[in-house]
Amino acid sequence: MASIPVYRPRLTGNVTAYVNECLSSGWISSRGEFISKFESGFAEYVGAAEATSVANGTVALHLALVALGIGPGDEVIVPSLTYIASVNTILQAGATPIFVDSLETTLQLDPQAAHKAITPRTRAVMAVHLYGHPCAMDAIVGLCEEHGLLLIEDCAEAVGTLWKEQHVGTFGDAATFSFFGNKTVTTGEGGMVLAKDPIVMERCRHLKSQGVSKTREYWHDTLAYNYRMTNIQAAIGLAQLEIAESILERKKAIAESYRGALVGLPLRMHDPVGPVEHSFWMCSILVDDPSRRDPLREHLAGHGIETRPFFPPAHLMPHCRANISLPVAESISDRGINLPSYPDLTSEEIERISEAIASFYR
């Protein structure tokens, strides 16, 4: 019986044609027409004024932090339940991550916990839209406005995610996206940065290209980075953007199929809560009993079904350990499983996965 992976990208549409155009034209590095086309197309898709592409989602976060002027002495409030890149980039900028707990219902940053974590050194809040569900943006935006804090949105997993019909990434002072190979829109590796202030956006463009002068060749006027996306990556991204809606619709249908097939079992789906559009980057379940999570994963592996555990809380990692207890984040992490979620998953495969889960509990 064939194995079922957690994810496999859908590389259809114009991907091959656009990549071949890069190859035939010779524009394969960080210059070429597909870069500007992908940037403008992505900005239009999410409803932003402009966007700038980068090499991956991690450097997108670092670039946003640096362009906003966040550095040593600053504190950035961040949910502990996130992929480690959210935290590493805060540390790389020289700032201090302040870990807060999450909400059991949505898995997202708890706005009340963020409010309690504010100190005179707090400079920003990083809202991470985990697994395709948005954070409670009204509360988080209000919190930042009340206390004069910057808002950074980590939308790595949230292409197609909406809060009150507004695409995530358009609420904050800056926002970042990832186009890793398992993302809804992929470029293999790649990322995008948005910023509300045109000055910050221009700073992002300057810093991502080695701080090169606009008026003098090979003259660099600041310490900067090589964070640029290639034209080939952008070509893939543009083709992916053209089929993004069909991918999202299929992902929602897959989530609905899982929901129906798993009803009555001692677990719950990561369902949308509130005025949101959940993009289901990953179709996820949380088992009632954390002691059954790993045995269930082993059972599924025995049936040729790959799964992923939820991210471990960052405050427990060796290099950024904090002597605190965040019970909700820790509980969610211990109970969560990402199921196969790729758009070309068949109805038969969903049935096979669901039956394997049910058989574990029988």
Side-chain angles (χ1 to χ4, degrees):
M1 185 175 292
S3 62
I4 302 176
V6 165
Y7 208 83
R8 181 187 297 135
R10 177 182 282 181
L11 299 174
T12 58
N14 286 313
V15 167
T16 301
Y18 289 171
V19 169
N20 283 340
E21 187 173 333
C22 293
L23 298 175
S24 62
S25 67
W27 292 104
I28 61 171
S29 192
S30 56
R31 293 184 181 181
E33 64 176 18
F34 284 110
I35 294 172
S36 60
K37 286 181 178 179
F38 183 39
E39 289 174 341
S40 60
F42 189 82
E44 181 179 0
Y45 181 79
V46 301
E50 52 185 332
T52 190
S53 58
V54 291
N56 58 64
T58 301
V59 302
L61 274 171
H62 183 246
L63 187 64
L65 288 160
V66 174
L68 288 170
I70 293 172
D74 295 331
E75 293 177 349
V76 179
I77 293 170
V78 61
S80 184
L81 187 65
T82 183
Y83 182 56
I84 196 61
S86 308
V87 177
N88 281 349
T89 51
I90 295 170
L91 293 167
Q92 289 160 0
T96 301
I98 303 298
F99 299 113
V100 296
D101 216 341
S102 299
L103 298 168
E104 171 68 29
T105 50
T106 65
L107 318 186
Q108 310 306 312
L109 178 148
D110 183 343
Q112 291 187 358
H115 185 271
K116 293 176 182 177
I118 294 172
T119 75
R121 295 176 60 187
T122 305
R123 185 79 188 285
V125 174
M126 183 180 290
V128 183
H129 305 291
L130 194 66
Y131 299 134
H133 193 292
C135 295
M137 294 314 296
D138 287 356
I140 294 172
V141 169
L143 176 71
C144 290
E145 290 178 347
E146 178 184 354
H147 294 275
L149 304 176
L150 295 168
L151 174 56
I152 301 156
E153 294 182 75
D154 181 347
C155 310
E157 303 166 359
V159 168
T161 299
L162 309 181
W163 170 264
K164 292 186 175 178
E165 301 184 349
Q166 181 176 339
H167 204 290
V168 297
T170 59
F171 295 88
D173 296 281
T176 65
F177 291 80
S178 169
F179 306 127
F180 185 63
N182 62 10
K183 297 301 191 291
T184 301
V185 167
T186 182
T187 60
E189 283 278 10
M192 197 74 76
V193 181
L194 314 179
K196 281 189 175 178
D197 187 338
I199 295 174
V200 175
M201 179 58 74
E202 182 54 36
R203 194 174 299 143
C204 287
R205 293 194 178 98
H206 187 56
L207 289 171
K208 80 171 188 178
S209 298
Q210 300 284 25
V212 67
S213 169
K214 289 184 176 180
T215 59
R216 186 174 175 182
E217 287 184 300
Y218 292 102
W219 187 257
H220 308 271
D221 52 30
T222 189
L223 176 64
Y225 319 97
N226 179 8
Y227 284 173
R228 295 168 296 190
M229 176 179 279
T230 69
N231 197 43
I232 289 180
Q233 289 175 301
I236 297 170
L238 183 63
Q240 286 274 285
L241 201 57
E242 292 170 352
I243 61 171
E245 285 303 307
S246 65
I247 293 174
L248 287 163
E249 286 304 312
R250 179 58 191 152
K251 282 174 159 288
K252 291 169 190 173
I254 290 168
E256 186 61 34
S257 295
Y258 276 132
R259 188 177 296 111
L262 299 177
V263 68
L265 297 177
L267 54 82
R268 72 174 178 90
M269 291 280 295
H270 180 207
D271 286 329
V273 178
V276 308
E277 191 75 26
H278 191 332
S279 63
F280 293 102
W281 170 59
M282 284 286 168
C283 293
S284 305
I285 58 172
L286 292 94
V287 299
D288 294 350
D289 181 354
S291 70
R292 307 300 300 278
R293 195 274 300 272
D294 290 345
L296 173 56
R297 293 191 64 227
E298 291 170 7
H299 175 79
L300 293 173
H303 284 72
I305 299 164
E306 183 186 14
T307 62
R308 292 182 3 165
F310 276 14
F311 299 128
H315 74 279
L316 301 179
M317 299 285 181
H319 69 289
C320 53
R321 180 176 290 274
N323 188 26
I324 56 175
S325 174
L326 299 176
V328 178
E330 292 166 25
S331 174
I332 290 171
S333 176
D334 287 343
R335 293 183 288 124
I337 301 175
N338 299 136
L339 300 176
S341 305
Y342 54 94
D344 293 321
L345 197 66
T346 66
S347 299
E348 291 75 20
E349 288 171 327
I350 296 170
E351 183 178 354
R352 175 180 152 194
I353 296 162
S354 302
E355 173 54 31
I357 295 171
S359 71
F360 171 79
Y361 286 106
R362 289 198 294 268

PDB file of all heavy atoms in Angstrom, residues 259-289:
ATOM      1  N   ARG A 259     -13.541  16.295   9.042  1.00  0.00           N
ATOM      2  CA  ARG A 259     -14.466  16.649  10.117  1.00  0.00           C
ATOM      3  C   ARG A 259     -15.621  15.659  10.195  1.00  0.00           C
ATOM      4  O   ARG A 259     -15.994  15.193  11.280  1.00  0.00           O
ATOM      5  CB  ARG A 259     -14.980  18.073   9.912  1.00  0.00           C
ATOM      6  CG  ARG A 259     -15.805  18.624  11.076  1.00  0.00           C
ATOM      7  CD  ARG A 259     -16.225  20.067  10.822  1.00  0.00           C
ATOM      8  NE  ARG A 259     -15.058  20.942  10.752  1.00  0.00           N
ATOM      9  CZ  ARG A 259     -14.622  21.539   9.647  1.00  0.00           C
ATOM     10  NH1 ARG A 259     -15.258  21.334   8.481  1.00  0.00           N
ATOM     11  NH2 ARG A 259     -13.571  22.327   9.674  1.00  0.00           N
ATOM     12  N   GLY A 260     -16.179  15.334   9.051  1.00  0.00           N
ATOM     13  CA  GLY A 260     -17.290  14.404   9.025  1.00  0.00           C
ATOM     14  C   GLY A 260     -16.884  12.986   9.383  1.00  0.00           C
ATOM     15  O   GLY A 260     -17.611  12.272  10.088  1.00  0.00           O
ATOM     16  N   ALA A 261     -15.702  12.590   8.944  1.00  0.00           N
ATOM     17  CA  ALA A 261     -15.264  11.202   9.159  1.00  0.00           C
ATOM     18  C   ALA A 261     -14.804  10.945  10.585  1.00  0.00           C
ATOM     19  O   ALA A 261     -14.846   9.799  11.045  1.00  0.00           O
ATOM     20  CB  ALA A 261     -14.131  10.872   8.187  1.00  0.00           C
ATOM     21  N   LEU A 262     -14.376  11.986  11.304  1.00  0.00           N
ATOM     22  CA  LEU A 262     -13.801  11.798  12.640  1.00  0.00           C
ATOM     23  C   LEU A 262     -14.766  12.133  13.768  1.00  0.00           C
ATOM     24  O   LEU A 262     -14.387  12.085  14.944  1.00  0.00           O
ATOM     25  CB  LEU A 262     -12.528  12.652  12.779  1.00  0.00           C
ATOM     26  CG  LEU A 262     -11.395  12.335  11.790  1.00  0.00           C
ATOM     27  CD1 LEU A 262     -10.237  13.298  11.975  1.00  0.00           C
ATOM     28  CD2 LEU A 262     -10.927  10.888  11.952  1.00  0.00           C
ATOM     29  N   VAL A 263     -15.985  12.474  13.434  1.00  0.00           N
ATOM     30  CA  VAL A 263     -16.961  12.841  14.459  1.00  0.00           C
ATOM     31  C   VAL A 263     -17.178  11.674  15.425  1.00  0.00           C
ATOM     32  O   VAL A 263     -17.185  10.504  15.035  1.00  0.00           O
ATOM     33  CB  VAL A 263     -18.297  13.277  13.810  1.00  0.00           C
ATOM     34  CG1 VAL A 263     -19.003  12.103  13.136  1.00  0.00           C
ATOM     35  CG2 VAL A 263     -19.207  13.936  14.832  1.00  0.00           C
ATOM     36  N   GLY A 264     -17.304  12.000  16.706  1.00  0.00           N
ATOM     37  CA  GLY A 264     -17.563  10.982  17.720  1.00  0.00           C
ATOM     38  C   GLY A 264     -16.327  10.382  18.349  1.00  0.00           C
ATOM     39  O   GLY A 264     -16.433   9.639  19.333  1.00  0.00           O
ATOM     40  N   LEU A 265     -15.144  10.679  17.824  1.00  0.00           N
ATOM     41  CA  LEU A 265     -13.898  10.174  18.394  1.00  0.00           C
ATOM     42  C   LEU A 265     -13.399  11.132  19.486  1.00  0.00           C
ATOM     43  O   LEU A 265     -13.763  12.315  19.492  1.00  0.00           O
ATOM     44  CB  LEU A 265     -12.841  10.019  17.301  1.00  0.00           C
ATOM     45  CG  LEU A 265     -13.164   9.013  16.193  1.00  0.00           C
ATOM     46  CD1 LEU A 265     -12.069   9.024  15.133  1.00  0.00           C
ATOM     47  CD2 LEU A 265     -13.332   7.607  16.775  1.00  0.00           C
ATOM     48  N   PRO A 266     -12.559  10.657  20.402  1.00  0.00           N
ATOM     49  CA  PRO A 266     -12.069  11.509  21.494  1.00  0.00           C
ATOM     50  C   PRO A 266     -10.960  12.468  21.039  1.00  0.00           C
ATOM     51  O   PRO A 266      -9.805  12.400  21.486  1.00  0.00           O
ATOM     52  CB  PRO A 266     -11.562  10.493  22.524  1.00  0.00           C
ATOM     53  CG  PRO A 266     -11.178   9.304  21.721  1.00  0.00           C
ATOM     54  CD  PRO A 266     -12.129   9.248  20.568  1.00  0.00           C
ATOM     55  N   LEU A 267     -11.325  13.338  20.149  1.00  0.00           N
ATOM     56  CA  LEU A 267     -10.414  14.334  19.599  1.00  0.00           C
ATOM     57  C   LEU A 267     -11.246  15.464  19.010  1.00  0.00           C
ATOM     58  O   LEU A 267     -12.461  15.350  18.875  1.00  0.00           O
ATOM     59  CB  LEU A 267      -9.502  13.714  18.529  1.00  0.00           C
ATOM     60  CG  LEU A 267     -10.178  12.962  17.361  1.00  0.00           C
ATOM     61  CD1 LEU A 267     -10.662  13.889  16.254  1.00  0.00           C
ATOM     62  CD2 LEU A 267      -9.226  11.930  16.791  1.00  0.00           C
ATOM     63  N   ARG A 268     -10.582  16.548  18.653  1.00  0.00           N
ATOM     64  CA  ARG A 268     -11.292  17.630  17.969  1.00  0.00           C
ATOM     65  C   ARG A 268     -10.462  18.154  16.817  1.00  0.00           C
ATOM     66  O   ARG A 268      -9.231  18.082  16.827  1.00  0.00           O
ATOM     67  CB  ARG A 268     -11.646  18.771  18.926  1.00  0.00           C
ATOM     68  CG  ARG A 268     -10.476  19.639  19.384  1.00  0.00           C
ATOM     69  CD  ARG A 268     -10.980  20.818  20.197  1.00  0.00           C
ATOM     70  NE  ARG A 268      -9.928  21.677  20.727  1.00  0.00           N
ATOM     71  CZ  ARG A 268      -9.434  22.737  20.079  1.00  0.00           C
ATOM     72  NH1 ARG A 268      -9.894  23.057  18.866  1.00  0.00           N
ATOM     73  NH2 ARG A 268      -8.487  23.481  20.627  1.00  0.00           N
ATOM     74  N   MET A 269     -11.146  18.670  15.825  1.00  0.00           N
ATOM     75  CA  MET A 269     -10.480  19.330  14.703  1.00  0.00           C
ATOM     76  C   MET A 269     -10.077  20.752  15.102  1.00  0.00           C
ATOM     77  O   MET A 269     -10.656  21.340  16.011  1.00  0.00           O
ATOM     78  CB  MET A 269     -11.423  19.409  13.504  1.00  0.00           C
ATOM     79  CG  MET A 269     -11.726  18.084  12.848  1.00  0.00           C
ATOM     80  SD  MET A 269     -10.406  17.533  11.733  1.00  0.00           S
ATOM     81  CE  MET A 269     -10.435  18.793  10.450  1.00  0.00           C
ATOM     82  N   HIS A 270      -9.091  21.279  14.410  1.00  0.00           N
ATOM     83  CA  HIS A 270      -8.749  22.696  14.563  1.00  0.00           C
ATOM     84  C   HIS A 270      -9.692  23.487  13.659  1.00  0.00           C
ATOM     85  O   HIS A 270      -9.365  23.840  12.522  1.00  0.00           O
ATOM     86  CB  HIS A 270      -7.290  22.932  14.174  1.00  0.00           C
ATOM     87  CG  HIS A 270      -6.856  24.362  14.293  1.00  0.00           C
ATOM     88  ND1 HIS A 270      -5.840  24.896  13.535  1.00  0.00           N
ATOM     89  CD2 HIS A 270      -7.296  25.370  15.089  1.00  0.00           C
ATOM     90  CE1 HIS A 270      -5.675  26.160  13.847  1.00  0.00           C
ATOM     91  NE2 HIS A 270      -6.547  26.475  14.785  1.00  0.00           N
ATOM     92  N   ASP A 271     -10.885  23.743  14.172  1.00  0.00           N
ATOM     93  CA  ASP A 271     -11.939  24.372  13.391  1.00  0.00           C
ATOM     94  C   ASP A 271     -11.864  25.896  13.459  1.00  0.00           C
ATOM     95  O   ASP A 271     -11.314  26.459  14.414  1.00  0.00           O
ATOM     96  CB  ASP A 271     -13.311  23.921  13.899  1.00  0.00           C
ATOM     97  CG  ASP A 271     -13.643  22.488  13.504  1.00  0.00           C
ATOM     98  OD1 ASP A 271     -13.188  22.058  12.433  1.00  0.00           O
ATOM     99  OD2 ASP A 271     -14.349  21.803  14.272  1.00  0.00           O
ATOM    100  N   PRO A 272     -12.432  26.582  12.475  1.00  0.00           N
ATOM    101  CA  PRO A 272     -12.482  28.043  12.532  1.00  0.00           C
ATOM    102  C   PRO A 272     -13.378  28.529  13.665  1.00  0.00           C
ATOM    103  O   PRO A 272     -14.424  27.948  13.928  1.00  0.00           O
ATOM    104  CB  PRO A 272     -13.039  28.435  11.158  1.00  0.00           C
ATOM    105  CG  PRO A 272     -13.732  27.215  10.654  1.00  0.00           C
ATOM    106  CD  PRO A 272     -13.008  26.049  11.230  1.00  0.00           C
ATOM    107  N   VAL A 273     -12.941  29.589  14.319  1.00  0.00           N
ATOM    108  CA  VAL A 273     -13.694  30.188  15.422  1.00  0.00           C
ATOM    109  C   VAL A 273     -13.834  31.681  15.159  1.00  0.00           C
ATOM    110  O   VAL A 273     -12.838  32.378  14.976  1.00  0.00           O
ATOM    111  CB  VAL A 273     -12.974  29.963  16.771  1.00  0.00           C
ATOM    112  CG1 VAL A 273     -13.748  30.642  17.908  1.00  0.00           C
ATOM    113  CG2 VAL A 273     -12.798  28.478  17.056  1.00  0.00           C
ATOM    114  N   GLY A 274     -15.070  32.177  15.121  1.00  0.00           N
ATOM    115  CA  GLY A 274     -15.295  33.600  14.946  1.00  0.00           C
ATOM    116  C   GLY A 274     -15.410  34.011  13.489  1.00  0.00           C
ATOM    117  O   GLY A 274     -15.547  33.173  12.588  1.00  0.00           O
ATOM    118  N   PRO A 275     -15.297  35.328  13.224  1.00  0.00           N
ATOM    119  CA  PRO A 275     -15.487  35.868  11.868  1.00  0.00           C
ATOM    120  C   PRO A 275     -14.240  35.689  11.013  1.00  0.00           C
ATOM    121  O   PRO A 275     -13.555  36.655  10.657  1.00  0.00           O
ATOM    122  CB  PRO A 275     -15.785  37.344  12.136  1.00  0.00           C
ATOM    123  CG  PRO A 275     -14.998  37.644  13.380  1.00  0.00           C
ATOM    124  CD  PRO A 275     -15.046  36.394  14.220  1.00  0.00           C
ATOM    125  N   VAL A 276     -13.928  34.441  10.688  1.00  0.00           N
ATOM    126  CA  VAL A 276     -12.638  34.133  10.068  1.00  0.00           C
ATOM    127  C   VAL A 276     -12.810  33.266   8.829  1.00  0.00           C
ATOM    128  O   VAL A 276     -13.846  32.633   8.623  1.00  0.00           O
ATOM    129  CB  VAL A 276     -11.705  33.406  11.061  1.00  0.00           C
ATOM    130  CG1 VAL A 276     -11.595  34.166  12.370  1.00  0.00           C
ATOM    131  CG2 VAL A 276     -12.170  31.976  11.328  1.00  0.00           C
ATOM    132  N   GLU A 277     -11.768  33.242   8.043  1.00  0.00           N
ATOM    133  CA  GLU A 277     -11.617  32.286   6.954  1.00  0.00           C
ATOM    134  C   GLU A 277     -10.345  31.496   7.250  1.00  0.00           C
ATOM    135  O   GLU A 277      -9.232  32.030   7.168  1.00  0.00           O
ATOM    136  CB  GLU A 277     -11.506  33.002   5.608  1.00  0.00           C
ATOM    137  CG  GLU A 277     -11.609  32.097   4.400  1.00  0.00           C
ATOM    138  CD  GLU A 277     -13.031  31.636   4.118  1.00  0.00           C
ATOM    139  OE1 GLU A 277     -13.984  32.336   4.492  1.00  0.00           O
ATOM    140  OE2 GLU A 277     -13.169  30.552   3.519  1.00  0.00           O
ATOM    141  N   HIS A 278     -10.524  30.251   7.679  1.00  0.00           N
ATOM    142  CA  HIS A 278      -9.406  29.354   8.000  1.00  0.00           C
ATOM    143  C   HIS A 278      -8.902  28.760   6.681  1.00  0.00           C
ATOM    144  O   HIS A 278      -9.666  28.147   5.944  1.00  0.00           O
ATOM    145  CB  HIS A 278      -9.929  28.261   8.931  1.00  0.00           C
ATOM    146  CG  HIS A 278      -8.887  27.405   9.572  1.00  0.00           C
ATOM    147  ND1 HIS A 278      -7.649  27.142   9.017  1.00  0.00           N
ATOM    148  CD2 HIS A 278      -8.899  26.712  10.748  1.00  0.00           C
ATOM    149  CE1 HIS A 278      -6.960  26.347   9.816  1.00  0.00           C
ATOM    150  NE2 HIS A 278      -7.697  26.071  10.877  1.00  0.00           N
ATOM    151  N   SER A 279      -7.624  28.935   6.390  1.00  0.00           N
ATOM    152  CA  SER A 279      -7.085  28.454   5.111  1.00  0.00           C
ATOM    153  C   SER A 279      -6.620  27.000   5.176  1.00  0.00           C
ATOM    154  O   SER A 279      -6.257  26.437   4.148  1.00  0.00           O
ATOM    155  CB  SER A 279      -5.921  29.342   4.660  1.00  0.00           C
ATOM    156  OG  SER A 279      -4.852  29.282   5.588  1.00  0.00           O
ATOM    157  N   PHE A 280      -6.608  26.421   6.383  1.00  0.00           N
ATOM    158  CA  PHE A 280      -6.228  25.013   6.556  1.00  0.00           C
ATOM    159  C   PHE A 280      -4.913  24.685   5.857  1.00  0.00           C
ATOM    160  O   PHE A 280      -4.829  23.746   5.083  1.00  0.00           O
ATOM    161  CB  PHE A 280      -7.349  24.089   6.072  1.00  0.00           C
ATOM    162  CG  PHE A 280      -8.585  24.160   6.924  1.00  0.00           C
ATOM    163  CD1 PHE A 280      -9.689  24.886   6.500  1.00  0.00           C
ATOM    164  CD2 PHE A 280      -8.625  23.533   8.158  1.00  0.00           C
ATOM    165  CE1 PHE A 280     -10.823  24.979   7.295  1.00  0.00           C
ATOM    166  CE2 PHE A 280      -9.750  23.632   8.962  1.00  0.00           C
ATOM    167  CZ  PHE A 280     -10.861  24.348   8.532  1.00  0.00           C
ATOM    168  N   TRP A 281      -3.886  25.505   6.157  1.00  0.00           N
ATOM    169  CA  TRP A 281      -2.559  25.114   5.674  1.00  0.00           C
ATOM    170  C   TRP A 281      -2.291  23.676   6.102  1.00  0.00           C
ATOM    171  O   TRP A 281      -1.852  22.857   5.304  1.00  0.00           O
ATOM    172  CB  TRP A 281      -1.476  26.035   6.244  1.00  0.00           C
ATOM    173  CG  TRP A 281      -0.101  25.499   5.953  1.00  0.00           C
ATOM    174  CD1 TRP A 281       0.426  25.247   4.716  1.00  0.00           C
ATOM    175  CD2 TRP A 281       0.888  25.096   6.901  1.00  0.00           C
ATOM    176  NE1 TRP A 281       1.697  24.717   4.840  1.00  0.00           N
ATOM    177  CE2 TRP A 281       1.997  24.619   6.161  1.00  0.00           C
ATOM    178  CE3 TRP A 281       0.950  25.101   8.296  1.00  0.00           C
ATOM    179  CZ2 TRP A 281       3.153  24.158   6.781  1.00  0.00           C
ATOM    180  CZ3 TRP A 281       2.100  24.641   8.901  1.00  0.00           C
ATOM    181  CH2 TRP A 281       3.197  24.171   8.154  1.00  0.00           C
ATOM    182  N   MET A 282      -2.575  23.381   7.354  1.00  0.00           N
ATOM    183  CA  MET A 282      -2.545  22.010   7.833  1.00  0.00           C
ATOM    184  C   MET A 282      -3.907  21.652   8.415  1.00  0.00           C
ATOM    185  O   MET A 282      -4.496  22.454   9.138  1.00  0.00           O
ATOM    186  CB  MET A 282      -1.477  21.808   8.917  1.00  0.00           C
ATOM    187  CG  MET A 282      -0.068  21.745   8.378  1.00  0.00           C
ATOM    188  SD  MET A 282       0.243  20.173   7.532  1.00  0.00           S
ATOM    189  CE  MET A 282       1.800  20.529   6.720  1.00  0.00           C
ATOM    190  N   CYS A 283      -4.418  20.484   8.085  1.00  0.00           N
ATOM    191  CA  CYS A 283      -5.597  19.939   8.751  1.00  0.00           C
ATOM    192  C   CYS A 283      -5.099  19.266  10.030  1.00  0.00           C
ATOM    193  O   CYS A 283      -4.302  18.329   9.966  1.00  0.00           O
ATOM    194  CB  CYS A 283      -6.315  18.927   7.865  1.00  0.00           C
ATOM    195  SG  CYS A 283      -7.054  19.665   6.393  1.00  0.00           S
ATOM    196  N   SER A 284      -5.552  19.769  11.156  1.00  0.00           N
ATOM    197  CA  SER A 284      -4.986  19.351  12.428  1.00  0.00           C
ATOM    198  C   SER A 284      -6.050  18.815  13.363  1.00  0.00           C
ATOM    199  O   SER A 284      -7.210  19.244  13.319  1.00  0.00           O
ATOM    200  CB  SER A 284      -4.284  20.540  13.107  1.00  0.00           C
ATOM    201  OG  SER A 284      -3.307  21.102  12.246  1.00  0.00           O
ATOM    202  N   ILE A 285      -5.623  17.883  14.221  1.00  0.00           N
ATOM    203  CA  ILE A 285      -6.490  17.376  15.274  1.00  0.00           C
ATOM    204  C   ILE A 285      -5.785  17.511  16.612  1.00  0.00           C
ATOM    205  O   ILE A 285      -4.547  17.548  16.681  1.00  0.00           O
ATOM    206  CB  ILE A 285      -6.894  15.900  15.053  1.00  0.00           C
ATOM    207  CG1 ILE A 285      -5.654  15.001  14.957  1.00  0.00           C
ATOM    208  CG2 ILE A 285      -7.764  15.762  13.810  1.00  0.00           C
ATOM    209  CD1 ILE A 285      -5.962  13.507  14.924  1.00  0.00           C
ATOM    210  N   LEU A 286      -6.576  17.612  17.675  1.00  0.00           N
ATOM    211  CA  LEU A 286      -6.057  17.599  19.035  1.00  0.00           C
ATOM    212  C   LEU A 286      -6.741  16.458  19.771  1.00  0.00           C
ATOM    213  O   LEU A 286      -7.978  16.448  19.897  1.00  0.00           O
ATOM    214  CB  LEU A 286      -6.326  18.921  19.757  1.00  0.00           C
ATOM    215  CG  LEU A 286      -5.565  20.137  19.215  1.00  0.00           C
ATOM    216  CD1 LEU A 286      -6.424  20.882  18.203  1.00  0.00           C
ATOM    217  CD2 LEU A 286      -5.160  21.064  20.357  1.00  0.00           C
ATOM    218  N   VAL A 287      -5.971  15.484  20.236  1.00  0.00           N
ATOM    219  CA  VAL A 287      -6.541  14.355  20.960  1.00  0.00           C
ATOM    220  C   VAL A 287      -6.888  14.797  22.375  1.00  0.00           C
ATOM    221  O   VAL A 287      -6.246  15.698  22.937  1.00  0.00           O
ATOM    222  CB  VAL A 287      -5.583  13.149  20.972  1.00  0.00           C
ATOM    223  CG1 VAL A 287      -5.304  12.681  19.549  1.00  0.00           C
ATOM    224  CG2 VAL A 287      -4.270  13.483  21.691  1.00  0.00           C
ATOM    225  N   ASP A 288      -7.917  14.175  22.951  1.00  0.00           N
ATOM    226  CA  ASP A 288      -8.331  14.546  24.310  1.00  0.00           C
ATOM    227  C   ASP A 288      -7.274  14.170  25.342  1.00  0.00           C
ATOM    228  O   ASP A 288      -7.034  14.904  26.302  1.00  0.00           O
ATOM    229  CB  ASP A 288      -9.654  13.859  24.662  1.00  0.00           C
ATOM    230  CG  ASP A 288     -10.823  14.351  23.818  1.00  0.00           C
ATOM    231  OD1 ASP A 288     -10.648  15.357  23.101  1.00  0.00           O
ATOM    232  OD2 ASP A 288     -11.901  13.728  23.875  1.00  0.00           O
ATOM    233  N   ASP A 289      -6.647  13.026  25.156  1.00  0.00           N
ATOM    234  CA  ASP A 289      -5.680  12.496  26.109  1.00  0.00           C
ATOM    235  C   ASP A 289      -4.273  12.610  25.520  1.00  0.00           C
ATOM    236  O   ASP A 289      -3.942  11.918  24.555  1.00  0.00           O
ATOM    237  CB  ASP A 289      -6.011  11.026  26.403  1.00  0.00           C
ATOM    238  CG  ASP A 289      -5.064  10.380  27.412  1.00  0.00           C
ATOM    239  OD1 ASP A 289      -4.074  11.028  27.806  1.00  0.00           O
ATOM    240  OD2 ASP A 289      -5.318   9.225  27.792  1.00  0.00           O
TER     241      ASP A 289
END
